[in-house]
Amino acid sequence: GGSLTIFTIWRMNPLLDTEWSYLVVVDDSGHVVWYRELESAALALALRGRSILTSELTQGILEIDPFLRTSLSWDVSDLGIDSVHHEVTGLPEGGVAFLSSELRTVSGFEIPGLESPLTHDIVGDVIVEIDAGGNVEWQWSLLDSLNPADHFTLAMYNSVFWTLPRASPTLYRWIAR
């Protein structure tokens, strides 16, 4: 018995094709052991026991057993969120923590030489924890703690300002509380 490697693949066309994604497991020789087509781009993976947790960007979270069966699933629309991306972590008692996002209109951007203050639509991260039944137990929005207008520079004008913590939701829960 060798080791297995689990990963997701998705394509750029030229941007992320959210309708095309696969979950793949290969053995230590690089041979495909099994794969599964997903409904949306999968950007996060985690192991929970013998199952795999994966996020589908616009669909939700799946828990997949070793026989490719979906043992649990949570849909983004049922959770009242808009996405699941970049991080998914199993929690004790069957819950899951993950990164979501929100679109918020933020005002107060001061730009020298332009009529100020300006208002922009900003995408920010939200850390969410759900229980095994899919009930939101806790969430924290980065935009509740960070005002992008306070950290705005002229170099950022006409570019994307994406607030991404790039760390585990469990860590951020500990920091935020």
Side-chain angles (χ1 to χ4, degrees):
S3 61
L4 298 175
T5 302
I6 303 165
F7 58 94
T8 61
I9 57 173
W10 34 271
R11 67 179 173 200
M12 304 296 282
N13 195 18
L15 301 174
L16 177 64
D17 183 347
T18 60
E19 304 292 315
W20 192 97
S21 187
Y22 288 85
L23 178 62
V24 181
V25 177
V26 297
D27 63 19
D28 53 5
S29 298
H31 296 103
V32 174
V33 176
W34 62 255
Y35 69 93
R36 176 176 171 163
E37 184 176 7
L38 301 172
E39 292 181 27
S40 179
L43 302 178
L45 279 175
L47 294 177
R48 176 163 42 196
R50 296 180 56 96
S51 295
I52 300 167
L53 288 170
T54 187
S55 71
E56 292 185 298
L57 182 64
T58 59
Q59 301 295 314
I61 301 169
L62 298 176
E63 184 169 15
I64 302 168
D65 71 19
F67 303 103
L68 298 177
R69 296 179 302 219
T70 301
S71 51
L72 289 170
S73 67
W74 299 276
D75 187 87
V76 292
S77 60
D78 294 337
L79 296 172
I81 59 171
D82 63 321
S83 69
V84 179
H85 67 88
H86 291 96
E87 184 76 40
V88 60
T89 302
L91 297 175
E93 300 177 19
V96 178
F98 57 90
L99 285 177
S100 185
S101 58
E102 67 175 326
L103 178 64
R104 206 184 272 189
T105 301
V106 178
S107 60
F109 291 89
E110 302 285 340
I111 301 173
L114 295 177
E115 185 178 323
S116 293
L118 297 176
T119 299
H120 289 283
D121 290 333
I122 304 293
V123 175
D125 281 323
V126 180
I127 299 169
V128 181
E129 287 185 5
I130 59 172
D131 64 18
N135 302 301
V136 175
E137 294 286 310
W138 180 83
Q139 61 183 353
W140 177 75
S141 168
L142 186 59
L143 293 177
D144 287 343
S145 298
L146 171 77
N147 182 353
D150 293 343
H151 304 279
F152 182 77
T153 67
L154 195 55
M156 296 164 71
Y157 190 65
N158 285 331
S159 67
V160 174
F161 185 80
W162 185 285
T163 59
L164 185 62
R166 299 210 186 273
S168 164
T170 307
L171 171 65
Y172 269 83
R173 178 179 181 188
W174 179 81
I175 291 170
R177 289 191 176 174

